[in-house]
Amino acid sequence: MLLAGCTSAPHSTAPAIIYVGCPAVSPCPVPSAQPATNGDLSADILQLESALLNCGLQVEAIKTCQEAQHAKTESTATTAD
């Protein structure tokens, strides 16, 4: 039974849930080293520096993403008040 003034309408579809998240963290492997000469030691140092740089870039990307998400959350909470 419908109330007076009400008409039947199709049911609303469920809202789509969109998850916006930060990139997944992947391991930062440290290359193994067994230098036999000074040249090997120098090459190992370069490999280690490269691995640390790549790991640092990953951390920075995730940190930037999390800060942006936090800022959006705070602005949404402020707007809702």
Side-chain angles (χ1 to χ4, degrees):
M1 175 177 171
L2 295 173
L3 298 174
C6 293
T7 60
S8 61
H11 292 286
S12 299
T13 59
I17 297 174
I18 301 171
Y19 178 75
V20 178
C22 298
V25 178
S26 59
C28 295
V30 175
S32 62
Q34 292 182 332
T37 66
N38 284 340
D40 292 344
L41 180 59
S42 180
D44 287 341
I45 289 170
L46 292 174
Q47 282 185 329
L48 178 59
E49 287 175 346
S50 177
L52 292 173
L53 174 65
N54 288 331
C55 191
L57 291 172
Q58 177 181 208
V59 169
E60 283 297 318
I62 294 167
K63 180 179 180 288
T64 301
C65 178
Q66 289 175 342
E67 288 173 346
Q69 292 297 320
H70 182 71
K72 284 180 188 176
T73 303
E74 286 205 351
S75 69
T76 304
T78 305
T79 319
D81 290 339

